[in-house]
Coordinates of all heavy atoms in Angstrom, one line a residue:
Chain N
L1216 N -71.2 -3.7 -57.0 CA -70.7 -2.5 -56.3 C -69.1 -2.7 -56.5 O -68.5 -3.7 -56.1 CB -71.0 -2.5 -54.9 CG -70.9 -1.2 -54.1 CD1 -71.8 -0.1 -54.8 CD2 -71.4 -1.4 -52.7
V1217 N -68.5 -1.8 -57.2 CA -67.1 -1.9 -57.5 C -66.3 -1.0 -56.5 O -66.7 0.1 -56.2 CB -66.8 -1.4 -58.9 CG1 -65.4 -1.6 -59.2 CG2 -67.6 -2.2 -59.9
G1218 N -65.2 -1.6 -56.0 CA -64.4 -1.0 -55.0 C -63.0 -0.8 -55.4 O -62.5 -1.4 -56.3
N1219 N -62.2 0.0 -54.5 CA -60.8 0.1 -54.6 C -60.1 -1.2 -54.1 O -59.6 -1.2 -53.0 CB -60.4 1.3 -53.9 CG -59.0 1.8 -54.3 OD1 -58.0 1.4 -53.5 ND2 -58.8 2.5 -55.3
G1220 N -60.3 -2.2 -54.9 CA -59.8 -3.6 -54.4 C -61.1 -4.1 -53.5 O -61.9 -3.3 -53.1
S1221 N -61.0 -5.5 -53.4 CA -62.2 -6.0 -52.7 C -62.1 -5.6 -51.2 O -63.0 -5.6 -50.4 CB -62.4 -7.5 -52.9 OG -61.2 -8.2 -52.6
C1222 N -60.8 -5.2 -50.8 CA -60.7 -4.7 -49.4 C -61.6 -3.6 -49.1 O -62.1 -3.5 -48.0 CB -59.3 -4.3 -49.2 SG -58.2 -5.7 -49.0
E1223 N -61.8 -2.7 -50.1 CA -62.7 -1.5 -49.9 C -64.1 -2.0 -49.6 O -64.9 -1.5 -48.8 CB -62.6 -0.5 -51.0 CG -63.4 0.7 -50.5 CD -63.5 1.8 -51.6 OE1 -63.7 1.4 -52.8 OE2 -63.6 2.9 -51.3
V1224 N -64.6 -3.1 -50.4 CA -66.0 -3.5 -50.1 C -66.2 -4.3 -48.9 O -67.3 -4.2 -48.3 CB -66.5 -4.2 -51.4 CG1 -66.5 -3.4 -52.7 CG2 -65.9 -5.5 -51.7
I1225 N -65.1 -4.8 -48.4 CA -65.2 -5.5 -46.9 C -65.6 -4.3 -46.0 O -66.5 -4.5 -45.2 CB -63.8 -6.0 -46.5 CG1 -63.4 -7.2 -47.4 CG2 -64.0 -6.4 -45.0 CD1 -62.1 -7.8 -47.1
S1226 N -64.9 -3.2 -46.2 CA -65.2 -2.1 -45.2 C -66.7 -1.5 -45.4 O -67.3 -1.3 -44.5 CB -64.2 -1.1 -45.5 OG -64.4 0.1 -44.8
S1227 N -67.0 -1.5 -46.7 CA -68.4 -0.9 -46.9 C -69.4 -1.9 -46.4 O -70.5 -1.4 -45.9 CB -68.6 -0.8 -48.5 OG -67.6 0.0 -49.0
F1246 N -57.9 -14.8 -44.3 CA -57.6 -13.5 -44.7 C -57.9 -12.5 -43.6 O -59.0 -12.6 -43.1 CB -58.4 -13.2 -46.0 CG -58.1 -11.9 -46.6 CD1 -56.7 -11.6 -47.0 CD2 -59.1 -10.9 -46.9 CE1 -56.4 -10.4 -47.6 CE2 -58.7 -9.7 -47.5 CZ -57.4 -9.5 -47.9
F1348 N -68.0 -11.8 -53.2 CA -66.7 -10.8 -53.5 C -65.9 -11.4 -54.5 O -65.6 -12.7 -54.5 CB -65.8 -10.7 -52.2 CG -66.3 -9.9 -51.1 CD1 -67.5 -9.3 -51.1 CD2 -65.5 -9.7 -50.0 CE1 -68.0 -8.5 -50.0 CE2 -65.9 -8.9 -49.0 CZ -67.1 -8.2 -49.0
R1349 N -65.5 -10.7 -55.5 CA -64.5 -11.1 -56.5 C -63.5 -9.9 -56.6 O -63.8 -8.8 -56.2 CB -65.2 -11.4 -57.8 CG -66.2 -12.5 -57.9 CD -65.6 -13.8 -58.2 NE -66.6 -14.9 -58.1 CZ -67.1 -15.5 -59.1 NH1 -66.9 -15.2 -60.4 NH2 -68.0 -16.5 -59.0
T1350 N -62.3 -10.2 -57.2 CA -61.3 -9.2 -57.4 C -60.6 -9.4 -58.6 O -60.5 -10.5 -59.2 CB -60.2 -9.3 -56.3 OG1 -59.3 -8.3 -56.4 CG2 -59.6 -10.7 -56.1
F1351 N -60.1 -8.2 -59.2 CA -59.2 -8.3 -60.4 C -57.7 -8.4 -59.9 O -56.8 -8.4 -60.8 CB -59.5 -7.1 -61.2 CG -60.7 -7.0 -61.9 CD1 -61.9 -6.4 -61.4 CD2 -60.9 -7.8 -63.1 CE1 -63.1 -6.5 -62.1 CE2 -62.2 -7.8 -63.8 CZ -63.2 -7.1 -63.1
S1352 N -57.4 -8.6 -58.7 CA -56.0 -8.5 -58.2 C -55.3 -9.8 -58.3 O -54.1 -9.9 -58.4 CB -55.9 -8.2 -56.7 OG -56.5 -6.9 -56.5
L1357 N -54.3 -7.4 -61.9 CA -54.4 -5.9 -61.9 C -54.2 -5.4 -60.4 O -54.7 -4.3 -60.1 CB -55.7 -5.5 -62.5 CG -56.0 -5.9 -63.9 CD1 -57.4 -5.4 -64.3 CD2 -54.9 -5.2 -64.8
A1358 N -53.5 -6.1 -59.6 CA -53.4 -5.7 -58.1 C -52.9 -4.3 -58.1 O -53.4 -3.5 -57.2 CB -52.4 -6.7 -57.4
A1359 N -52.1 -3.9 -58.9 CA -51.5 -2.5 -58.8 C -52.6 -1.4 -59.0 O -52.4 -0.2 -58.5 CB -50.3 -2.3 -59.8
L1360 N -53.6 -1.8 -59.7 CA -54.6 -0.8 -60.0 C -55.7 -0.7 -59.0 O -56.5 0.2 -58.9 CB -55.3 -1.1 -61.4 CG -54.3 -1.0 -62.6 CD1 -55.1 -1.2 -63.9 CD2 -53.5 0.3 -62.6
R1361 N -55.8 -1.7 -58.1 CA -56.7 -1.8 -57.0 C -58.1 -1.7 -57.5 O -58.8 -0.7 -57.5 CB -56.6 -0.7 -56.0 CG -55.1 -0.4 -55.4 CD -54.6 -1.7 -54.6 NE -55.4 -2.0 -53.5 CZ -55.9 -3.2 -53.4 NH1 -55.8 -4.2 -54.3 NH2 -56.7 -3.5 -52.3
I1362 N -58.7 -2.9 -57.8 CA -60.1 -3.0 -58.2 C -60.7 -4.3 -57.9 O -60.0 -5.3 -58.3 CB -60.3 -2.5 -59.7 CG1 -61.7 -2.6 -60.1 CG2 -59.4 -3.3 -60.7 CD1 -62.1 -1.8 -61.4
G1363 N -61.8 -4.4 -57.3 CA -62.5 -5.6 -57.0 C -64.0 -5.2 -56.9 O -64.3 -4.0 -57.0
Y1364 N -64.9 -6.2 -56.6 CA -66.3 -5.9 -56.5 C -67.1 -6.8 -55.7 O -66.6 -8.0 -55.4 CB -66.8 -5.8 -58.0 CG -66.7 -7.0 -58.8 CD1 -67.8 -7.9 -58.9 CD2 -65.6 -7.3 -59.5 CE1 -67.7 -9.1 -59.6 CE2 -65.5 -8.5 -60.2 CZ -66.6 -9.4 -60.3 OH -66.5 -10.5 -61.0
L1365 N -68.3 -6.5 -55.4 CA -69.3 -7.4 -54.8 C -70.4 -7.5 -55.6 O -70.8 -6.6 -56.4 CB -69.6 -7.0 -53.3 CG -70.3 -5.7 -53.1 CD1 -71.8 -5.7 -53.4 CD2 -70.1 -5.4 -51.6
H1379 N -70.6 3.3 -49.2 CA -69.5 3.0 -49.9 C -69.1 4.4 -50.7 O -69.9 5.2 -51.1 CB -69.9 2.1 -51.2 CG -68.9 1.7 -52.0 ND1 -67.9 0.6 -51.5 CD2 -68.5 1.9 -53.3 CE1 -67.0 0.5 -52.5 NE2 -67.5 1.1 -53.6
S1383 N -64.1 6.0 -55.9 CA -62.8 5.5 -55.2 C -62.1 4.6 -56.2 O -61.0 4.2 -56.0 CB -63.2 4.7 -54.0 OG -63.9 3.4 -54.4
V1384 N -62.7 4.3 -57.4 CA -62.0 3.5 -58.4 C -61.5 4.3 -59.5 O -62.3 4.9 -60.2 CB -63.0 2.3 -58.8 CG1 -62.0 1.3 -59.7 CG2 -63.4 1.5 -57.7
N1385 N -60.3 4.3 -59.9 CA -59.8 5.2 -61.0 C -60.2 4.7 -62.4 O -60.6 3.6 -62.6 CB -58.3 5.4 -60.8 CG -57.6 4.2 -61.1 OD1 -57.4 3.8 -62.2 ND2 -56.9 3.5 -60.0
A1388 N -58.2 1.8 -64.0 CA -58.6 0.5 -63.4 C -59.9 0.0 -63.9 O -60.1 -1.2 -64.3 CB -58.7 0.7 -61.8

Side-chain angles (χ1 to χ4, degrees):
Chain N
L1216 201 57
V1217 181
N1219 192 265
S1221 54
C1222 284
E1223 192 189 30
V1224 299
I1225 295 175
S1226 173
S1227 303
F1246 187 53
F1348 287 1
R1349 298 269 175 104
T1350 178
F1351 287 97
S1352 300
L1357 297 178
L1360 299 185
R1361 308 299 300 123
I1362 180 164
Y1364 60 95
L1365 63 74
H1379 188 72
S1383 70
V1384 185
N1385 68 73

